Amino acid sequence: MMIDKVAKLTIDDKPSIDLPIHEATYGPELIDVAALGKHNFFTYDPGFISTASCKSAITYIDGDKGILLHRGYPIDQLAKKTDFLTTAYLLLKGELPNSTQQQDFKKTITSHVSPPAIIEQTLQGFAKGAHPMAMLISLLGALAGYYHPIKIRDAAERKQAIEQLIGYMPTLVAMTYQHYLGNKINTPREGLDYASQFMYLLFDDTRANNPTLNKAIDRILILHADHEQNASTSTVRLAGSTLANPYACIAAGTAALWGTAHGGANEAVIKMLTEIKDEKNIEEYIARAKDPNSNFRLMGFGHRVYKNYDPRATVMKQTCDEVLNELGTPDDPLFRIAMQLEKIALEDEYFIQRKLYPNVDFYSGIILRAIGIPTALFTSIFALARTVGWLAQWSEMLDDNDFKIGRPRQWYTGPTERDI
Ligand code: CMC
């Protein structure tokens, strides 16, 4: 790599240290601090506010402008002009497929709709009503046991693991849903596309045959497919950096996604909107969110990277309109509360100053709920979609010449050596 710029770091009266500066296709330049360790200095950056953990050619976010590109293509174009598996192909392989490649890819992925039957036994360890995310993590763990070892350096074995994981995910999520309800899982039906199969595994034929609802699910999957180095993706990369089984890496990513600061926010938004109950109570919740003595935050608001409207939320809001119209419930009370909450927050000095805007999770829950999906399943649907991004990032990491086991350093603040 050609380096033509350096940063000079001077500490006390020591000779300055030259740190190479790398240029990115888009976004800030990067000061390469790898050499600092040799000089007996570490960098400290809790929450990785200013630290790039890797280089990546998959996704670019301009948080100030509210732009999200996958392999250079804007997210709104992908949401309107492609379907989920086409976007998945793009994320994994770097280019959009031609029509033969698209058909072959879809055929291969959808042929993996049935995971090995033995893993269903894993669900028997869970009570009816257990959280679907807990079950999903375990099912992925069971698959890691079933498919072990996998030679991740072998292109064919890696490809197969990627395709199986993407193919199995709708069925795994549906299995957790049916077990959550105390039902048996439907047998997958031949010839259905990815989103329709998922709807079929969740619901009866009537719901699974509704093109508007299937399209809405497919679009939700596109909007969640990847988002560069977020907490769960970084978890998958870190787990993968130890050369762990890919199914186990995806289980790790699923666990990291679960929290309400990340993918769990879609579930938390619906709980919050239900709790607000009436537009007249919105001001009270806004006041709580602003109160420095309260831990309460507006769920579905704010983002580490976006300091503008999340472009995914724009598409999500339009999809929400379409779904509610299709279902004949355009006056859905939660949607009304959400729109009013957004309006009030966006005019409030606290949110303006901190650049807090609705994120992808703000409207997705309203769509999923309108389709009839229980809130407990929302984050699993996020995991289903993000599996594609996790795998694309995991595979990119393994092929990176700079690849090393992830091993951060620390700022030790404990006691000095002492005797017992
Ligand atoms: N409601 C009220 N205040 C907020 C919110 C919110 N949702 N988000 C941030 N703030 C305030 C925060 O209190 C802080 O104020 P001050 O400067 O006075 O201390 C300021 O904004 C900056 O917040 P931060 O916690 O330093 O920001 P962060 O980048 O560490 O956190 C976040 C980002 C997404 C965790 C946070 O905005 C949040 O908790 N949002 C609610 C949960 C949510 O919607 N998460 C989904 C994120 S998008 C999908 C995904 O990644 O999965």
Side-chain angles (χ1 to χ4, degrees):
M1 192 178 295
M2 280 283 294
I3 308 285
D4 48 14
K5 263 173 102 175
V6 290
K8 289 190 177 294
L9 179 69
T10 311
I11 301 162
D12 301 333
D13 51 1
K14 296 191 182 95
S16 66
I17 304 167
D18 280 357
L19 301 171
I21 296 185
H22 303 302
E23 206 176 302
T25 314
Y26 282 141
E29 294 176 319
L30 297 108
I31 303 173
D32 189 333
V33 296
L36 271 183
K38 282 195 233 133
H39 296 272
N40 219 14
F41 285 104
F42 294 148
T43 53
Y44 177 62
D45 181 19
F48 301 100
I49 302 281
S50 307
T51 298
S53 59
C54 62
K55 55 180 179 326
S56 180
I58 300 173
T59 292
Y60 173 71
I61 304 172
D62 183 327
D64 291 327
K65 295 196 183 122
I67 292 171
L68 168 60
L69 308 176
H70 290 321
R71 304 284 191 184
Y73 295 108
I75 188 65
D76 58 316
Q77 290 185 28
L78 290 168
K80 283 176 195 143
K81 297 187 179 171
T82 74
D83 55 31
F84 176 63
L85 287 186
T86 305
T87 296
Y89 185 100
L90 172 73
L91 287 166
L92 289 162
K93 299 179 191 263
E95 295 298 335
L96 284 166
N98 63 31
S99 67
T100 316
Q101 289 165 332
Q102 188 187 42
Q103 271 174 23
D104 288 350
F105 184 69
K106 288 184 179 180
K107 208 166 140 204
T108 308
I109 298 293
T110 52
S111 74
H112 293 302
V113 69
S114 298
I118 193 166
I119 68 148
E120 210 179 328
Q121 291 176 12
T122 308
L123 293 176
Q124 303 318 316
F126 287 91
K128 176 183 166 187
H131 199 287
M133 281 294 275
M135 293 192 248
L136 186 59
I137 292 164
S138 297
L139 286 175
L140 287 160
L143 284 168
Y146 189 87
Y147 293 112
H148 196 75
I150 295 174
K151 293 196 202 91
I152 54 176
R153 294 288 182 205
D154 178 292
E157 287 202 24
R158 194 194 302 179
K159 181 169 172 288
Q160 186 172 357
I162 289 173
E163 290 168 352
Q164 281 176 340
L165 261 158
I166 299 171
Y168 290 163
M169 266 315 234
T171 314
L172 299 182
V173 173
M175 283 165 76
T176 67
Y177 170 69
Q178 300 300 359
H179 192 81
Y180 172 79
L181 296 177
N183 297 339
K184 278 222 73 77
I185 174 110
N186 287 340
T187 309
R189 197 206 270 161
E190 291 270 317
L192 292 181
D193 65 49
Y194 196 77
S196 312
Q197 184 74 268
F198 181 50
M199 290 291 275
Y200 174 71
L201 292 171
L202 294 183
F203 299 119
D204 54 37
D205 278 345
T206 1
R207 198 87 58 91
N209 284 337
N210 185 319
T212 308
L213 302 189
N214 292 352
K215 197 168 137 219
I217 285 287
D218 193 80
R219 195 169 274 180
I220 287 178
L221 299 184
I222 296 176
L223 295 175
H224 286 92
D226 190 52
H227 213 230
E228 51 116 314
Q229 311 313 319
N230 52 81
S232 58
T233 302
S234 298
T235 301
V236 171
R237 278 185 178 259
L238 200 53
S241 80
T242 70
L243 309 179
N245 178 298
Y247 287 90
C249 296
I250 300 304
T254 305
L257 185 74
W258 194 358
T260 52
H262 194 6
N266 51 16
E267 193 180 336
V269 168
I270 294 299
K271 285 202 181 114
M272 176 187 75
L273 295 174
T274 312
E275 211 182 283
I276 293 177
K277 208 168 157 188
D278 196 291
E279 287 174 55
K280 69 177 192 302
N281 299 325
I282 290 176
E283 291 289 359
E284 179 198 325
Y285 280 79
I286 298 260
R288 273 178 62 198
K290 287 159 51 173
D291 181 354
N293 298 318
S294 152
N295 287 330
F296 177 74
R297 287 187 165 196
L298 278 195
M299 288 292 120
F301 255 77
H303 198 275
R304 168 63 59 78
V305 185
Y306 291 120
K307 301 300 165 201
N308 200 326
Y309 213 97
D310 180 339
R312 301 168 299 171
T314 314
V315 183
M316 204 64 92
K317 197 171 171 185
Q318 288 159 6
T319 311
C320 198
D321 255 335
E322 284 165 27
V323 167
L324 296 178
N325 279 320
E326 168 72 18
L327 294 171
T329 49
D331 281 333
D332 179 276
L334 289 200
F335 189 41
R336 268 206 338 263
I337 294 173
M339 286 200 301
Q340 188 60 15
L341 181 65
E342 176 190 333
K343 186 168 175 295
I344 295 175
L346 293 184
E347 286 166 0
D348 190 295
E349 207 39 45
Y350 174 96
F351 292 87
I352 295 170
Q353 258 182 18
R354 290 167 182 74
K355 300 187 175 163
L356 300 170
Y357 291 84
N359 59 48
V360 69
D361 291 320
F362 194 63
Y363 287 104
S364 63
I366 298 176
I367 307 174
L368 294 171
R369 179 178 157 273
I371 291 175
I373 295 174
T375 46
L377 201 68
F378 291 0
T379 313
S380 307
I381 293 175
F382 193 153
L384 189 177
R386 188 56 59 84
T387 294
V388 165
W390 290 334
L391 289 167
Q393 303 265 354
W394 168 78
S395 193
E396 181 186 62
M397 175 193 70
L398 293 173
D399 290 337
D400 188 338
N401 293 333
D402 290 347
F403 167 64
K404 281 185 173 32
I405 183 172
R407 190 4 176 135
R409 305 309 291 252
Q410 65 169 4
W411 172 357
Y412 177 67
T413 58
T416 52
E417 187 174 343
R418 51 185 168 164
D419 294 322
I420 296 172

Coordinates of all heavy atoms in Angstrom, one line a residue, residues 49 227 230 257 260-265 269 289-290 296-305 307 310 312 350-351 354 356 359-361 382 386, ligand 1:
I49 N -15.2 5.3 19.3 CA -15.8 6.5 18.7 C -14.9 6.9 17.5 O -15.5 7.3 16.5 CB -15.8 7.6 19.8 CG1 -16.6 7.2 21.0 CG2 -16.3 8.9 19.2 CD1 -18.1 7.3 20.9
H227 N -24.8 -3.1 7.9 CA -24.6 -1.7 8.4 C -23.2 -1.5 8.9 O -23.0 -1.0 10.0 CB -25.7 -1.4 9.5 CG -26.1 0.0 9.4 ND1 -26.1 0.8 10.5 CD2 -26.5 0.8 8.4 CE1 -26.5 2.0 10.2 NE2 -26.7 2.0 8.9
N230 N -21.0 -2.3 13.1 CA -21.9 -2.1 14.3 C -21.5 -3.2 15.3 O -20.6 -4.0 15.1 CB -23.3 -2.2 13.9 CG -23.5 -3.5 13.1 OD1 -23.7 -4.6 13.7 ND2 -23.5 -3.4 11.8
L257 N -26.7 -8.7 19.0 CA -27.8 -7.9 18.4 C -28.9 -7.7 19.4 O -29.7 -6.8 19.3 CB -28.3 -8.7 17.2 CG -29.3 -7.9 16.3 CD1 -28.7 -6.8 15.6 CD2 -30.0 -8.9 15.4
T260 N -31.2 -3.8 23.7 CA -32.1 -2.7 23.3 C -31.3 -1.5 22.6 O -31.9 -0.7 21.9 CB -33.0 -2.2 24.4 OG1 -32.1 -1.9 25.5 CG2 -34.0 -3.2 24.8
A261 N -30.0 -1.4 22.9 CA -29.3 -0.3 22.3 C -29.0 -0.7 20.8 O -28.7 0.2 20.0 CB -28.0 -0.1 23.0
H262 N -29.2 -1.9 20.4 CA -28.9 -2.4 19.1 C -30.2 -3.0 18.5 O -31.2 -2.3 18.5 CB -27.8 -3.4 19.1 CG -27.1 -3.8 17.9 ND1 -27.4 -3.2 16.7 CD2 -26.1 -4.7 17.6 CE1 -26.6 -3.7 15.7 NE2 -25.8 -4.6 16.3
G263 N -30.2 -4.2 18.1 CA -31.4 -4.8 17.3 C -32.6 -4.9 18.2 O -33.7 -5.0 17.7
G264 N -32.4 -5.0 19.5 CA -33.6 -5.2 20.4 C -34.4 -3.9 20.5 O -35.5 -3.9 21.1
A265 N -34.0 -2.8 19.8 CA -34.7 -1.6 19.9 C -36.1 -1.7 19.2 O -37.1 -1.0 19.6 CB -33.9 -0.4 19.3
V269 N -39.4 -0.3 20.9 CA -40.2 0.8 20.3 C -41.6 0.5 20.5 O -42.4 1.3 21.0 CB -39.9 1.0 18.8 CG1 -40.9 1.9 18.2 CG2 -38.5 1.6 18.6
A289 N -37.3 11.5 28.5 CA -36.1 11.2 27.7 C -35.0 12.3 27.8 O -33.8 12.0 27.7 CB -36.5 11.0 26.2
K290 N -35.5 13.5 28.1 CA -34.5 14.6 28.2 C -34.0 14.8 29.6 O -33.0 15.5 29.8 CB -35.3 15.9 27.9 CG -35.6 16.1 26.4 CD -36.7 17.0 26.0 CE -36.6 18.4 26.6 NZ -37.6 19.3 26.1
F296 N -34.3 6.7 31.0 CA -35.2 6.5 29.9 C -34.7 7.2 28.6 O -34.3 8.3 28.6 CB -36.6 7.0 30.2 CG -37.6 6.8 29.1 CD1 -38.1 5.6 28.7 CD2 -37.9 7.9 28.3 CE1 -38.9 5.4 27.6 CE2 -38.8 7.8 27.2 CZ -39.3 6.6 26.9
R297 N -34.7 6.4 27.5 CA -34.4 7.0 26.2 C -35.5 6.8 25.2 O -36.2 5.7 25.3 CB -33.1 6.3 25.6 CG -31.9 6.8 26.3 CD -30.6 6.3 25.7 NE -29.5 7.0 26.2 CZ -28.3 7.1 25.7 NH1 -28.1 6.4 24.6 NH2 -27.4 7.8 26.3
L298 N -35.7 7.6 24.3 CA -36.7 7.3 23.2 C -36.2 6.2 22.4 O -35.1 6.3 21.7 CB -36.9 8.6 22.3 CG -37.8 9.7 22.8 CD1 -38.1 10.6 21.6 CD2 -39.1 9.2 23.4
M299 N -36.9 5.1 22.4 CA -36.4 3.9 21.6 C -36.6 4.2 20.1 O -37.7 4.8 19.8 CB -37.2 2.7 22.1 CG -36.7 2.2 23.4 SD -35.0 1.6 23.3 CE -34.2 2.6 24.4
G300 N -35.7 3.8 19.3 CA -35.8 4.0 17.9 C -35.3 5.4 17.5 O -35.5 5.8 16.3
F301 N -34.7 6.1 18.4 CA -34.1 7.4 18.2 C -32.6 7.4 18.4 O -32.2 6.8 19.4 CB -34.8 8.4 19.1 CG -35.8 9.3 18.3 CD1 -37.0 8.8 18.0 CD2 -35.4 10.6 17.9 CE1 -38.0 9.6 17.3 CE2 -36.4 11.4 17.2 CZ -37.6 10.9 16.9
G302 N -31.9 8.1 17.6 CA -30.5 8.3 17.8 C -29.7 7.2 17.2 O -30.2 6.1 16.9
H303 N -28.4 7.5 16.9 CA -27.5 6.5 16.3 C -26.1 7.0 16.5 O -25.8 8.2 16.4 CB -27.8 6.4 14.8 CG -27.3 5.1 14.2 ND1 -26.0 5.0 13.7 CD2 -27.8 3.9 14.0 CE1 -25.8 3.8 13.3 NE2 -26.8 3.1 13.5
R304 N -25.2 6.0 16.6 CA -23.8 6.4 16.8 C -23.3 7.1 15.5 O -22.5 8.1 15.6 CB -23.0 5.1 17.1 CG -21.4 5.3 17.0 CD -20.9 6.3 18.0 NE -21.2 5.9 19.4 CZ -20.5 5.0 20.1 NH1 -19.5 4.4 19.5 NH2 -20.8 4.8 21.3
V305 N -23.7 6.7 14.4 CA -23.1 7.2 13.1 C -24.0 8.2 12.5 O -23.5 9.3 12.0 CB -22.8 6.1 12.1 CG1 -22.1 6.6 10.9 CG2 -21.9 5.0 12.8
K307 N -26.1 11.3 12.1 CA -26.5 12.6 12.8 C -27.4 13.3 11.9 O -27.4 14.5 11.7 CB -25.2 13.4 13.0 CG -24.2 12.7 13.9 CD -24.7 12.3 15.3 CE -23.9 11.2 16.0 NZ -24.6 10.5 17.0
D310 N -32.0 8.7 9.4 CA -31.5 7.4 9.0 C -32.2 7.0 7.6 O -33.4 7.0 7.6 CB -31.8 6.3 10.1 CG -31.4 4.9 9.8 OD1 -31.2 4.6 8.6 OD2 -31.3 4.1 10.7
R312 N -32.7 4.5 6.1 CA -33.5 3.2 6.2 C -34.8 3.6 6.8 O -35.9 3.0 6.4 CB -32.8 2.2 7.0 CG -31.4 1.8 6.5 CD -30.6 1.0 7.5 NE -30.4 1.7 8.7 CZ -29.9 1.2 9.8 NH1 -29.5 -0.1 9.8 NH2 -29.7 1.9 10.9
Y350 N -33.5 19.8 22.5 CA -32.7 18.7 23.0 C -32.3 17.7 21.9 O -31.1 17.4 21.7 CB -33.5 17.9 24.1 CG -32.8 16.7 24.7 CD1 -32.0 16.7 25.8 CD2 -32.9 15.4 24.0 CE1 -31.4 15.6 26.3 CE2 -32.3 14.3 24.5 CZ -31.5 14.4 25.6 OH -30.9 13.2 26.1
F351 N -33.3 17.3 21.1 CA -33.0 16.4 20.0 C -32.3 17.0 18.8 O -31.4 16.4 18.2 CB -34.4 15.7 19.6 CG -34.9 14.8 20.6 CD1 -35.8 15.4 21.6 CD2 -34.6 13.5 20.7 CE1 -36.3 14.6 22.6 CE2 -35.2 12.7 21.7 CZ -36.0 13.2 22.7
R354 N -28.5 17.5 19.8 CA -27.8 16.2 19.8 C -27.9 15.4 18.5 O -27.4 14.3 18.4 CB -28.3 15.3 21.0 CG -27.9 15.9 22.3 CD -28.6 15.2 23.4 NE -28.2 15.8 24.7 CZ -28.6 17.0 25.2 NH1 -29.4 17.7 24.5 NH2 -28.2 17.4 26.4
L356 N -30.5 13.9 17.1 CA -31.2 12.6 17.3 C -32.4 12.5 16.4 O -33.3 13.3 16.5 CB -31.6 12.5 18.8 CG -30.5 12.6 19.8 CD1 -31.1 12.7 21.2 CD2 -29.6 11.4 19.7
N359 N -34.3 6.1 13.8 CA -33.5 5.2 13.2 C -34.3 4.0 12.6 O -35.6 4.1 12.7 CB -32.4 4.7 14.1 CG -33.0 4.0 15.4 OD1 -33.9 3.2 15.3 ND2 -32.5 4.4 16.6
V360 N -33.6 3.0 12.0 CA -34.3 2.0 11.3 C -35.4 1.3 12.1 O -36.4 0.8 11.6 CB -33.3 1.0 10.7 CG1 -32.7 0.2 11.9 CG2 -33.9 0.0 9.7
D361 N -35.2 1.3 13.4 CA -36.1 0.5 14.3 C -37.4 1.2 14.6 O -38.3 0.7 15.2 CB -35.4 0.1 15.6 CG -34.3 -0.9 15.3 OD1 -34.5 -1.8 14.5 OD2 -33.2 -0.8 16.0
F382 N -34.5 -9.2 12.4 CA -33.3 -8.4 12.2 C -32.1 -9.4 12.0 O -31.3 -9.2 11.1 CB -33.2 -7.5 13.4 CG -32.2 -6.4 13.3 CD1 -32.4 -5.2 14.0 CD2 -31.1 -6.4 12.4 CE1 -31.5 -4.1 14.0 CE2 -30.2 -5.4 12.4 CZ -30.4 -4.2 13.1
R386 N -29.6 -9.7 9.0 CA -28.2 -9.3 9.2 C -27.2 -10.5 9.0 O -26.0 -10.2 8.9 CB -28.1 -8.6 10.6 CG -26.7 -8.0 10.9 CD -26.3 -6.9 9.9 NE -27.2 -5.8 9.7 CZ -27.2 -4.7 10.5 NH1 -26.4 -4.6 11.5 NH2 -28.1 -3.8 10.3
Ligands
CMC1 N1 -33.3 9.4 23.7 C1 -32.9 10.4 24.4 N2 -31.6 10.9 24.5 C2 -30.7 10.2 23.7 C3 -31.1 9.1 22.9 C4 -32.4 8.7 22.9 N3 -32.8 7.7 22.1 N4 -30.0 8.7 22.2 C5 -29.0 9.5 22.6 N5 -29.4 10.4 23.5 C6 -28.6 11.5 24.1 C7 -27.7 10.9 25.2 O1 -28.4 11.0 26.5 C8 -26.5 11.9 25.1 O2 -26.9 13.1 25.8 P1 -25.9 14.0 26.6 O3 -24.9 14.4 25.6 O4 -26.6 15.0 27.2 O5 -25.2 13.0 27.6 C9 -26.4 12.2 23.7 O6 -27.7 12.0 23.1 C10 -25.4 11.2 22.9 O7 -25.8 9.9 23.2 P2 -24.8 8.7 23.3 O8 -25.3 7.7 24.3 O9 -23.4 9.2 23.7 O10 -24.7 8.2 21.9 P3 -24.2 6.7 21.4 O11 -23.7 7.0 20.0 O12 -23.3 6.2 22.3 O13 -25.5 5.8 21.3 C11 -27.5 4.7 20.6 C12 -26.2 5.5 20.2 C13 -28.2 4.2 19.4 C14 -27.1 3.5 21.5 C15 -28.4 5.7 21.4 O14 -28.8 6.8 20.6 C16 -29.7 5.0 22.0 O15 -29.6 4.4 23.0 N6 -30.8 5.0 21.2 C17 -32.0 4.3 21.6 C18 -31.9 2.8 21.3 C19 -32.1 2.6 19.8 O16 -33.0 3.1 19.1 N7 -31.2 1.8 19.2 C20 -31.2 1.3 17.8 C21 -30.0 1.9 17.1 S1 -30.2 1.8 15.3 C22 -30.3 0.1 14.9 C23 -29.2 -0.7 15.4 O17 -28.0 -0.3 15.5 O18 -29.5 -1.9 15.8

